[in-house]
Every structure is written in structure tokens, then in C-alpha cells.
Amino acid sequence: MNADKLRTVEDWVSYYRHEFGLPVSERGGFVMLPVTAQIGVVHLPVARAEMVRGALQQQRRGGPMLARQIRWSFLAEPDSRPGEQVMAVLNRLDIGIPAIGSAVMLPTGLGRWTREGCHWVTPPARDSKLPPLSAIITTALAVGAEGED
């Protein structure tokens, strides 16, 4: 499938399903990726997200990332859910973990400027594993601690 020839939301749904194996659907005229027991999401403020991205790449645990104006969203394998105390720390740091049943809007374009106001920093790949949610959370807390001395 050639991304340059995709015109409709339905085309993009087919593209994401076929090319990347993502369980997306059309909802309200947008491509939506549901948060499930197999695919999680972590939202991070941009500055912290850039540090997390670099650290995960060094660990060879990088994965798909979406950029929005004030935050990036990392796709993750939900290996465990943080406890209440960790969630409280994450909330204070403006790090969000959407609940199962929610969804994330994906771009209908592979360039930087899409009608959804987001773009792929690192696009998904069909055969690559998603990084564990716990690794993203641990890394996000570690890189923030380094800069807060």
C-alpha cells in the first residue's frame, strides 16, 4: 500500500491495519487506536519525552511515538500497571496512562503536518515489538530525576 495514495479515513484504517497490524477503527471521522490489554499508551510532556526517547533508543527499546504540540505519546506493551503511589508521582509530572477502553487518534498522513495536529516521531513497524510500559515509566522517572538536582 502506498501512503501517498491514501485519501479517506477508511483508506488510513486499512493502511494501519495492513502495514502495521494495529487494531484501529474509524470513529467520528478519525483513525482511532484503542487502548487494550495488548497496546498501551504513555503521554509525556515534550521535553521529558525527548529524553525518554533517547534513553530508550540507547537501551534498544525504542518504539512508535506520536508528537503533539505539548506532549508525545509512546505506544507500549502493557506489561504491568503502576501502583497508586507511582501513579500519583506520574500525575504530578503530567505523565498520563490512558485506561483500557480509551483511544488515541492517529494521523492520516506520514508527514509533519496532518489535520489531526499530530505526526509520527517514530512510526510503527509491523514486526517490531512495543517497548514495555514499565520500561517507559521507569525511564521517564529516571530521566526526570537527573534534571531535577
Side-chain angles (χ1 to χ4, degrees), residues 3 25 38 42 60 63 68 78 86 131 135 149:
S25 62
Q38 290 76 38
V42 180
R60 294 188 178 4
R68 291 183 169 76
V86 173
D149 293 336

Side-chain angles (χ1 to χ4, degrees), residues 3 5 12-13 28 43 76 92-93 97 111 132 139 145:
K5 295 184 180 183
W12 281 97
V13 167
H43 300 303
R92 280 195 304 275
L93 297 171
I97 303 172
T139 304

Side-chain angles (χ1 to χ4, degrees), residues 64-75:
M65 287 169 270
L66 280 170
R68 291 183 169 76
Q69 189 171 358
I70 60 171
R71 67 181 183 177
W72 285 6
S73 301
F74 290 70
L75 301 189

Side-chain angles (χ1 to χ4, degrees), residues 35 39-45 48-49 52 56 64-66 68 71-78 80-82 90 94-98 104 131-138 140:
V35 175
I39 298 177
V41 175
V42 180
H43 300 303
L44 293 147
R48 188 178 298 262
V52 169
L56 287 174
M65 287 169 270
L66 280 170
R68 291 183 169 76
R71 67 181 183 177
W72 285 6
S73 301
F74 290 70
L75 301 189
E77 177 189 340
S80 65
R81 185 111 180 137
L90 296 174
D94 198 26
I95 297 172
I97 303 172
V104 174
L133 180 75
S134 59
I136 296 171
I137 297 302
T138 301

Side-chain angles (χ1 to χ4, degrees), residues 4 17 22 32 45 48-49 53 65 76 79 85:
D4 294 333
R17 285 180 181 170
L22 294 174
M32 303 300 291
R48 188 178 298 262
R53 177 185 181 211
M65 287 169 270
D79 59 334
Q85 289 180 324

Side-chain angles (χ1 to χ4, degrees), residues 1-27 29-34 66 104-116 118-120 123-124 126:
M1 235 180 220
N2 184 347
D4 294 333
K5 295 184 180 183
L6 304 177
R7 299 287 176 244
T8 68
V9 172
E10 291 78 14
D11 291 343
W12 281 97
V13 167
S14 294
Y15 180 75
Y16 280 116
R17 285 180 181 170
H18 180 264
E19 293 297 315
F20 306 126
L22 294 174
V24 298
S25 62
E26 181 277 334
R27 190 167 67 199
F30 296 97
V31 178
M32 303 300 291
L33 174 68
L66 280 170
V104 174
M105 183 185 308
L106 300 185
T108 52
L110 297 178
R112 188 160 170 92
W113 307 108
T114 66
R115 72 182 184 99
E116 296 83 6
C118 63
H119 65 275
W120 288 107
R126 176 173 272 292

